[in-house]
């Protein structure tokens, strides 16, 4: 579990370095599609089923485009304007967005602990955004906004997965959504790559593709879902609190990105909010995990 959290945390720094060196569209298309194929192959080799009904495959494809393809464009594309640690802190509010969407759609009521935790976490988001310059509507406002929109895309993806995963399995859902979401990006990635003069893949981008494909999108998911039945869903979920903290530390060490004092306060509020919200069962925790 700890290895999976570390791999996910480092992914923010690795992907930022990659998209700063090579276009985001071809990078995202290659790594998402390849990772999806690896997950499906691993599931098949272990004897798991990757078959889906037509209806489930359509839902998986739609939310793969939203939660994998669109998410990656918004999230990875915004890394050029905000710190990797900031991005990790903003993305970590996804559980609260999932709970809010579920309440709006009348799927599951918004529980008191989640509401309180969400208020604390979003106060932290405001502090992080102000420290990043968004409070003055500076050049990073678009990056903060895009990252929060990415979190909303991921929340809708989790919400849809809560309905499909009990019928198909988590790995089949993950693999097919990646393949479809990534495949949609391939023609757009090819166009962007051609328009930029077909630049060669620099070392930073190549490492990013390999790391994101085999590490954060494949190995970490496999480790995560393998650990759930052994450690238990509640304990595994609690370890996710480490991801934003580790991401901030890694980006500071590798990229020299130090948080401003107001951002450090915001990060602490976000982590406190996540902890407070998990004092009761989050919507779909059992079904998603």
């Amino acid at each position: 579990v700890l290895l999976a959290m570390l791999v996910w945390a480092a992914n923010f720094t690795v992907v930022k370095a990659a998209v700063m060196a090579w276009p985001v569209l071809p990078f995202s298309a290659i790594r998402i599609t390849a990772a999806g194929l690896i997950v499906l192959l691993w599931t098949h080799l272990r004897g798991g089923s990757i078959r889906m009904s037509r209806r489930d495959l359509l839902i998986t494809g739609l939310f793969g485009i939203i939660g994998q393809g669109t998410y990656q464009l918004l999230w990875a594309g915004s890394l050029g304007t905000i710190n990797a640690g900031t991005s990790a802190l903003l993305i970590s509010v996804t559980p609260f967005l999932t709970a809010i969407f579920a309440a709006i759609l009348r799927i599951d009521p918004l529980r008191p602990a989640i509401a309180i935790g969400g208020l604390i976490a979003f106060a932290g988001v405001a502090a992080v955004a102000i420290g990043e310059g968004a409070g003055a509507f500076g050049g990073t406002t678009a990056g903060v906004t895009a990252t929060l929109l990415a979190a909303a895309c991921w929340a809708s993806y989790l919400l849809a997965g809560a309905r499909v995963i009990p019928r198909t399995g988590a790995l089949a859902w993950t693999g097919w959504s990646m393949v479809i979401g990534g495949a949609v990006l391939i023609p757009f990635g090819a166009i962007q790559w051609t328009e930029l003069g077909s630049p060669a893949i620099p070392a930073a981008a190549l490492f990013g593709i390999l790391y994101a494909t085999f590490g954060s999108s494949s190995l970490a998911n496999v480790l995560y879902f393998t650990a759930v039945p052994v450690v238990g869903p509640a304990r595994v979920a609690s370890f996710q609190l480490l991801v934003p903290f580790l991401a901030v530390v890694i980006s500071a060490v590798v990229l020299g990105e130090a948080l401003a004092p107001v951002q450090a306060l915001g990060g602490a509020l976000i982590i406190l909010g996540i902890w407070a919200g998990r004092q009761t069962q989050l919507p779909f925790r059992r079904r998603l995990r």
Side-chain angles (χ1 to χ4, degrees):
V1 180
L2 287 174
L3 179 58
M5 300 304 113
L6 182 61
V7 170
W8 275 331
N11 190 56
F12 288 88
T13 295
V14 172
V15 171
K16 175 164 185 173
V19 299
M20 294 295 287
W22 207 55
V24 65
L25 271 169
F27 170 82
S28 298
I30 292 172
R31 76 100 160 181
I32 298 171
T33 308
L37 291 173
I38 291 172
V39 171
L40 290 176
L41 177 61
W42 184 85
T43 304
H44 177 70
L45 292 176
R46 288 194 63 199
S49 174
I50 59 174
R51 295 178 63 88
M52 284 188 175
S53 68
R54 181 177 299 179
R55 178 174 176 271
D56 285 340
L57 189 59
L58 286 173
I59 296 173
T60 302
L62 172 62
F63 284 92
I65 294 171
I66 295 172
Q68 294 289 351
T70 305
Y71 167 84
Q72 289 296 327
L73 292 183
L74 291 168
W75 169 67
S78 68
L79 284 171
T81 59
I82 64 175
N83 290 344
T86 300
S87 177
L89 291 170
L90 295 174
I91 288 295
S92 66
V93 303
T94 299
F96 298 111
L97 292 174
T98 306
I100 291 170
F101 291 167
I104 291 173
L105 296 173
R106 297 183 179 180
I107 296 173
D108 202 53
L110 190 62
R111 306 179 187 207
I114 297 173
I116 294 170
L119 289 174
I120 296 172
F122 283 110
V125 168
V128 169
I130 289 172
E132 193 70 25
F137 295 97
T140 58
T141 304
V144 171
T145 303
T147 304
L148 290 174
L149 287 174
C153 288
W154 189 249
S156 67
Y157 173 79
L158 294 179
L159 202 57
R163 297 303 182 92
V164 178
I165 286 174
R167 297 190 296 269
T168 65
L171 291 177
W173 159 265
T174 302
W176 282 116
S177 63
M178 282 182 171
V179 168
I180 297 171
V184 170
L185 297 180
I186 289 176
F188 298 102
I191 291 172
Q192 184 183 44
W193 180 68
T194 303
E195 289 178 345
L196 293 173
S198 305
I201 305 179
L206 181 59
F207 176 76
I209 290 173
L210 293 174
Y211 183 91
T213 299
F214 294 99
S216 61
S217 296
S218 300
L219 175 63
N221 277 310
V222 169
L223 289 172
Y224 183 89
F225 288 114
T226 300
V228 167
V230 178
V231 181
R235 292 185 64 188
V236 170
S238 66
F239 276 103
Q240 289 182 319
L241 288 170
L242 292 173
V243 173
F245 170 75
L246 291 172
V248 169
V249 172
I250 293 170
S251 70
V253 172
V254 178
L255 300 177
E257 297 179 343
L259 290 179
V262 67
Q263 289 180 299
L265 173 63
L269 287 173
I270 290 172
I271 294 174
L272 174 62
I274 296 171
W275 176 84
R278 283 180 176 165
Q279 297 312 294
T280 187
Q281 182 176 311
L282 283 175
F284 315 116
R285 178 189 290 175
R286 290 183 179 175
R287 282 174 282 174
L288 281 174
R289 304 295 190 254

